[in-house]
Amino acid sequence: MSDPRIEVIERRLEKVENIIAVSSGKGGVGKSVVASTLSLELSSRGYSVGLFDLDFTSPSTHVILGIQDVFPDEEYGIIPPLVKGLRYMSIIFYALDRPAPLRGSEISDAIIEVLAITRWEELDYLIIDMPPGMGDATLDVIRLIPRIKFLMVSTPSKVAYETVRKQLTLLRGLDFPVIGVIENMVMHSLRLRSQVEEDGAEYLGSINYDPVLEEALGDIERLKKTAMYAELTKIVHHI
Amino acid sequence: MHEWALAEGIVSTAVRVAEDEGLLKITEIVIDIGELQQVEHEILMFALEQLKTPTMKDARFVLKPIQGRFRCRVCGEEWAFIPETVDKEASEAIHFVPEMAHVYIKCSQCGSPDFDVTEGRGVWLESVKGLKRDE
């Protein structure tokens, strides 16, 4: 017995130049906002960009970018719709606004299914918004997308960075490239640079906590005018 | 037309299995079709015929429907998937991603979405038969 989905996943992604997983050990560190704004900024710079929300139980990039009333085309598979300049894929196209209570093996099966049927066109970058932690989604992208690179996000908190550090150790042990770590939602002082460098990763920069970001969520033009977005643009050239 | 994507996976996997097993000519490919995914057999068969490689040009494709079955992890209830009991929206979502069953279907006894799909989830390559050099 063989799973016919695995064989075609690499082919579905063959026209994508760079695949970046935006990841963190903890939830709530701003990973989805970083993935969304990074996608927008790369697109603004003239690159063709896809954004794939791989957080199947708690997707949020559609809320951040104000995406609604779109659906993939069906043509020898699934073609992610072009939304706000980005090719966009999320489980919300199928779960809609309902809860998706999935166990680990079900998440894994759903990820394999979506990867196997989604036909990404030529892209300079595919940004994948990962669910938090080192669970099924992380292990699946490591297994199924061998050329993926990781961009880690942490807050200055020891609690958040401790989980990121473990993920860095895992990825290094598996020889997976890590682009670096972004210190996000900084409120008082920077804490991570020396720790990140001690852990053998590149410290890409910091983004201050932006109290008005919440008001801009769902509106791309407002999002692009936030201080958070301006700080992210300074980090993008490292990526 | 999502069946074409499934067919592509079946053909590629059959080629790989044939290579692994040293088959020079494929004579039969048996595919389990989980009814939960509600694959259109005719479209899948057409796509398989169109996509088949020279090694499998005389091969017979056998589609074996497997009824979708569930077992509730909370109360132990077991029940079968009956496509007519889900609406069009749910049906389409489950067709593309069978795990969306947990979004749209509940245990028929206790109402929980926490159940196992014990049989008939999706498409699976059951066997590839063929001829080796010395046969």
Side-chain angles (χ1 to χ4, degrees), chain A residues 1-5 7-8 11-12 74 76 78 94 96 98-99 101-103 106 109-110 113 117 119, chain B residues 1-2 4-5 8-9 12-13 16 32 37 73 89 93 96 99 102 104 114 121 123-126:
Chain A
M1 294 281 270
S2 305
D3 186 341
R5 301 170 298 174
E7 206 75 23
V8 289
R11 203 178 308 158
R12 300 284 181 250
E74 204 187 332
Y76 302 105
I78 297 301
Y94 306 105
L96 306 178
R98 294 162 180 250
L102 301 175
R103 286 178 181 260
E106 292 153 2
D109 246 330
E113 195 76 34
I117 62 173
R119 305 172 71 95
Chain B
M1 300 298 271
H2 150 248
W4 280 82
E8 210 180 325
S12 302
T13 309
R16 202 245 314 137
D32 289 351
Q37 199 163 19
R73 292 191 186 107
E89 185 179 87
F96 287 110
E99 284 60 44
H102 298 278
Y104 295 97
D114 186 13
R121 177 205 168 274
V123 175
W124 208 256
L125 190 63
E126 187 183 293

Side-chain angles (χ1 to χ4, degrees), chain B residues 47-132:
Chain B
L48 289 168
E49 291 292 342
Q50 297 298 310
L51 293 171
K52 68 185 186 183
T53 62
T55 335
M56 59 181 77
K57 70 178 172 40
D58 300 320
R60 190 168 74 104
F61 291 102
V62 180
L63 304 188
K64 273 177 59 179
I66 311 285
Q67 187 180 39
R69 292 200 61 81
F70 307 120
R71 183 189 303 118
C72 181
R73 292 191 186 107
V74 178
C75 73
E77 173 74 1
E78 295 189 26
W79 76 103
F81 173 62
I82 301 167
E84 295 74 27
T85 58
V86 293
D87 65 23
K88 189 167 175 278
E89 185 179 87
S91 189
E92 188 157 306
I94 295 167
H95 171 62
F96 287 110
V97 188
E99 284 60 44
M100 292 300 98
H102 298 278
V103 174
Y104 295 97
I105 296 173
K106 304 282 182 276
C107 169
S108 52
Q109 195 66 31
C110 71
S112 172
D114 186 13
F115 52 81
D116 278 319
V117 179
T118 53
E119 286 177 62
R121 177 205 168 274
V123 175
W124 208 256
L125 190 63
E126 187 183 293
S127 64
V128 178
K129 291 180 186 162
L131 303 173
K132 294 185 180 178

Side-chain angles (χ1 to χ4, degrees), chain A residues 39-57:
Chain A
S39 301
L40 289 177
E41 177 57 17
L42 288 170
S43 175
S44 298
R45 292 181 185 210
Y47 295 109
S48 52
V49 182
L51 174 61
F52 184 8
D53 194 329
L54 206 66
D55 193 342
F56 280 9
T57 56

